[in-house]
Amino acid sequence: MLRTGVRLLALALCVSAGGDFDWTKNEKTSFYYGTFPTGFSWGVGSSAYQTEGAWNTDGKGMSIWDVFAHKKGKISSNETGDSSCEGYYKFKDDINLMKEMKLNHYRFSVSWPRILPSGLRSEHVNEKGIRYYSDLIDLLLNSKITPVVTLYHWDLPQVLQEKYGGWQNASMVGYFNEFANLCFERFGNRVKHWITFNNPWSISVEGYETGEHAPGLRMRGSGAYKAAHHIIKAHAKVWHTYDMKWRSKQKGLIGISLSADWGEPVDVSNQRDVEAAERYIHFYLGWFATPLFHGDYPAVMKEYIGRKSGQQGLGASRLPVFSPQEKSYIRGTVDFLGLGHYTTRYVTQKNYPSSFGDSYFADRDLAELVDPKWPDPGSEWLYSVPWGFRRLLNFVKTQYGNPMIYVTENGVSEKMPCTDLCDDWRMQYFREYINELLKAVRDGVNVKGYTAWSLLDGFEWDEGFSERFGLYFVDFRNKNKPRFPKASVQFYKRIISSNGFPSQREVESWKRKAVETCSSSNQLLAADPLIGHMEMVTEIVVPTICTLCILLSAVFFMFLLRRRL
Ligand code: BGC
């Protein structure tokens, strides 16, 4: 009862706080020297399919990503996450890397089909899968690293996709809740930070609208909205389950990790551009955050999708509707907001005629632009625009009543051919983005932690291994998947040990020192093909020679026998 009262009060504050964001105040101020509040948590992240490998080991079931990646033509160079970084076998080594960095937390995800091979708890619980995560959690805690656990980082059990159509089907809400409940039961005595979904925007749009991601469906203009609707309900159900059944004993927090690029109006003095930028953010972050904080979709989404659906001659909006009961059920179901942020776009108004057809993208009536001067060292979508990060954080503060935030992802990639471990551009990216985060904290945004993405280079979804986000370089050519520190490891380590940026003199020396250490790693990496070569000798050349010897001796022996006879 008291909880409900508190939630209602929080809601009233949220609603009155909404819309205060000052679009005209974009202070691109100089670098700020200072530190984060005591207790600020520093971490790195990963996800199961991107790093674990062991795709069919120890009783694991298949996920939609196993199946999708095995289809020809879906992933760059037809690569798969079958073995990836072999994280399933190497987690002890990886925790040692984290210990060296003096990290406070590690964000990883649980593979649903690794512990429930058919997706359903009633059918079979794979104890070996449970053991793996349990050992990982224990070792983290022994190493004084807080586990932050994502329940769903995109790897739905394939059976649930085949039988029910995955997130198109409302039954996923119940199945996901059973899976989450199992995780609370087995790991909740040790895990206090739970993230239900990672980046539901991507699950919905790339999985069910464009089909670039698993399950690869192209249900334009409706599939993404339906998937998102079920995901929001599933999140809320899990939050309520935890609240009713586990919270008093386990005392943990349930959040969600939403991804959002910042959208800056091309011309802040043009009201149409400002509205277009606001729409861009509401169709991205607000699509999920507004129902979870305020109980319903952003008004602008309801208006635009409803109007366009009418013009297309549909009887109802393509955006599903929450009933009054559902609204109050989903409202206020985030104990903390996880934010994944990488980049920014300029946004301007652009009308799409209804003849364009059903499309999430056309529903927004806007165009995205980039400044050619923005650095773009890696993925083609990722431009480095640090000030957008501070803007986004302040927008969240004003829109959702200054919730508790953990930055759950932030980082930059490099393209595959780049094997230079002296990753100057990544150090620059971290330096500037984390500095904007510090400015946001000083603006009063309630950020409690930061997670660099990612610990290791990994399987980058439809891009395969062609884009590398890791602080550690992984040599995927070598069967042992050795890890090599990039210079940014040293750089990030300094930020962590200083809890920010203490002084200009010190910060300027960090990059120089980091580059000094990375040249020896470069030499080690350069030598690594030899390791691959040695493996070829032991695994191919030696067995072939032995077999030939045996054959020759057999022939020789037969020849001798025949001569005797
Ligand atoms: C995903 C990560 C991915 C990153 C970069 C994020 O939205 O959660 O898994 O590595 O984007 O593409």
Side-chain angles (χ1 to χ4, degrees):
M1 193 59 187
L2 184 65
R3 270 202 90 77
T4 319
V6 171
R7 279 173 64 203
L8 284 178
L9 177 65
L11 173 72
L13 292 172
C14 292
V15 172
S16 65
D20 282 351
F21 184 74
D22 185 352
W23 286 94
T24 57
K25 195 174 146 218
N26 189 3
E27 300 167 294
K28 295 176 191 161
T29 52
S30 53
F31 198 86
Y32 177 80
Y33 291 95
T35 52
F36 284 81
T38 318
F40 191 83
S41 190
W42 298 99
V44 293
S46 76
S47 83
Y49 189 71
Q50 291 181 280
T51 48
E52 280 177 6
W55 73 289
N56 58 359
T57 306
D58 287 347
K60 175 182 167 291
M62 281 225 265
S63 81
I64 53 173
W65 270 96
D66 292 316
V67 173
F68 187 70
H70 283 164
K71 286 189 190 144
K72 291 271 166 296
K74 298 293 181 194
I75 312 290
S76 156
S77 307
N78 288 319
E79 285 163 331
T80 73
D82 289 2
S83 56
S84 193
C85 309
E86 303 280 19
Y88 185 72
Y89 305 102
K90 297 181 75 116
F91 73 92
K92 291 182 184 148
D93 299 348
D94 290 340
I95 292 178
N96 279 335
L97 302 180
M98 293 178 223
K99 269 166 56 178
E100 270 169 38
M101 288 168 81
K102 304 240 167 22
L103 293 178
N104 305 114
H105 70 263
Y106 175 48
R107 177 184 174 214
F108 65 91
S109 78
V110 176
S111 157
W112 184 347
R114 194 178 289 290
I115 67 171
L116 294 177
S118 72
L120 304 186
R121 184 174 186 175
S122 53
E123 286 185 359
H124 173 57
V125 176
N126 181 26
E127 292 298 333
K128 285 191 177 160
I130 299 262
R131 165 76 61 82
Y132 165 69
Y133 293 111
S134 200
D135 290 350
L136 170 61
I137 292 164
D138 283 343
L139 194 54
L140 284 169
L141 291 172
N142 286 340
S143 312
K144 307 221 165 1
I145 299 172
T146 304
V148 176
V149 180
T150 310
L151 291 168
Y152 188 88
H153 203 124
W154 307 356
D155 41 1
L156 184 78
Q158 172 67 8
V159 177
L160 298 183
Q161 189 67 45
E162 277 169 19
K163 269 199 192 162
Y164 305 101
W167 291 104
Q168 289 304 291
N169 195 307
S171 62
M172 284 315 103
V173 176
Y175 296 141
F176 181 65
N177 190 50
E178 281 173 23
F179 159 63
N181 202 41
L182 174 64
C183 292
F184 299 151
E185 194 180 303
R186 300 299 187 91
F187 313 129
N189 55 344
R190 289 158 290 161
V191 174
K192 306 297 162 194
H193 297 79
W194 295 99
I195 292 168
T196 53
F197 288 92
N198 174 69
N199 190 353
W201 181 91
S202 215
I203 304 169
S204 310
V205 173
E206 293 176 298
Y208 294 88
E209 168 94 14
T210 65
E212 295 154 273
H213 282 187
L217 299 173
R218 296 197 178 103
M219 311 169 82
R220 296 217 163 98
S222 60
Y225 296 133
K226 207 166 173 188
H229 201 66
H230 294 141
I231 289 171
I232 292 166
K233 287 192 197 175
H235 165 87
K237 191 168 175 81
V238 168
W239 187 89
H240 282 285
T241 299
Y242 192 80
D243 205 43
M244 276 161 38
K245 219 170 142 186
W246 302 104
R247 192 185 292 277
S248 59
K249 276 178 265 164
Q250 301 189 343
K251 309 213 166 13
L253 301 171
I254 307 285
I256 187 167
S257 175
L258 302 181
S259 203
D261 296 350
W262 175 246
E264 182 69 15
V266 166
D267 174 3
V268 276
S269 63
N270 178 341
Q271 189 55 21
R272 278 157 52 93
D273 277 1
V274 172
E275 282 168 14
E278 203 163 348
R279 268 203 310 286
Y280 174 83
I281 298 161
H282 279 310
F283 267 80
Y284 211 140
L285 173 76
W287 185 4
F288 302 92
T290 315
L292 298 177
F293 284 102
H294 300 325
D296 201 359
Y297 291 118
V300 75
M301 282 187 85
K302 293 198 286 187
E303 181 195 331
Y304 272 65
I305 304 165
R307 180 163 38 80
K308 287 188 178 245
S309 304
Q311 287 164 356
Q312 287 153 353
L314 303 172
S317 175
R318 286 181 275 105
L319 184 70
V321 174
F322 291 116
S323 70
Q325 291 81 353
E326 286 171 342
K327 285 181 190 170
S328 58
Y329 187 74
I330 60 178
R331 181 188 297 140
T333 55
V334 257
D335 300 326
F336 67 90
L337 177 65
L339 264 189
H341 174 74
Y342 293 91
T343 193
T344 283
R345 293 287 179 269
Y346 277 121
V347 181
T348 187
Q349 158 76 29
K350 176 186 172 184
N351 284 335
Y352 282 84
S354 56
S355 57
F356 190 87
D358 296 358
S359 152
Y360 159 86
F361 293 99
D363 284 342
R364 306 176 305 169
D365 272 349
L366 56 86
E368 298 174 34
L369 306 163
V370 294
D371 183 337
K373 292 202 281 301
W374 288 343
D376 60 336
S379 313
E380 60 162 337
W381 52 270
L382 207 172
Y383 294 84
S384 173
V385 193
W387 52 261
F389 195 18
R390 182 182 182 186
R391 300 275 274 164
L392 173 71
L393 289 159
N394 273 287
F395 182 86
V396 169
K397 173 183 169 217
T398 56
Q399 210 70 20
Y400 305 114
N402 205 10
M404 188 205 290
I405 297 176
Y406 279 88
V407 175
T408 39
E409 284 182 28
N410 177 242
V412 66
S413 53
E414 69 236 7
K415 294 254 192 286
M416 178 66 169
C418 177
T419 47
D420 186 0
L421 299 178
C422 301
D423 53 349
D424 203 48
W425 63 95
R426 184 171 287 103
M427 290 191 274
Q428 190 70 10
Y429 181 99
F430 280 137
R431 177 182 179 274
E432 291 175 358
Y433 270 73
I434 296 174
N435 199 247
E436 292 299 314
L437 175 65
L438 178 57
K439 291 177 192 169
V441 168
R442 289 185 50 87
D443 295 337
V445 183
N446 187 14
V447 189
K448 297 288 184 202
Y450 173 88
T451 316
W453 192 264
S454 47
L455 174 66
L456 306 173
D457 291 336
F459 179 82
E460 211 20 74
W461 310 111
D462 51 323
E463 301 298 341
F465 297 103
S466 65
E467 289 173 8
R468 296 172 172 271
F469 276 84
L471 288 162
Y472 280 84
F473 180 95
V474 177
D475 187 354
F476 294 107
R477 298 164 305 172
N478 184 324
K479 224 177 113 239
N480 294 325
K481 311 293 167 79
R483 285 86 159 116
F484 298 87
K486 299 178 192 174
S488 46
V489 169
Q490 285 305 322
F491 191 77
Y492 187 40
K493 202 171 153 181
R494 305 251 179 201
I495 298 180
I496 297 172
S497 64
S498 311
N499 197 27
F501 306 95
S503 72
Q504 184 167 4
R505 234 187 69 210
E506 198 160 325
V507 175
E508 274 168 10
S509 73
W510 289 353
K511 228 161 106 178
R512 211 182 45 246
K513 287 184 190 150
V515 170
E516 276 163 21
T517 57
C518 71
S519 39
S520 57
S521 302
N522 264 341
Q523 281 166 13
L524 272 177
L525 177 62
D528 197 43
L530 285 179
I531 301 171
H533 179 72
M534 277 160 62
E535 272 182 358
M536 197 176 85
V537 169
T538 53
E539 285 172 18
I540 302 173
V541 180
V542 173
T544 313
I545 291 177
C546 289
T547 318
L548 276 176
C549 288
I550 293 168
L551 274 174
L552 281 175
S553 351
V555 171
F556 183 62
F557 195 60
M558 275 166 60
F559 174 74
L560 277 184
L561 271 179
R562 286 186 72 179
R563 282 199 62 180
R564 278 198 151 198
L565 291 172

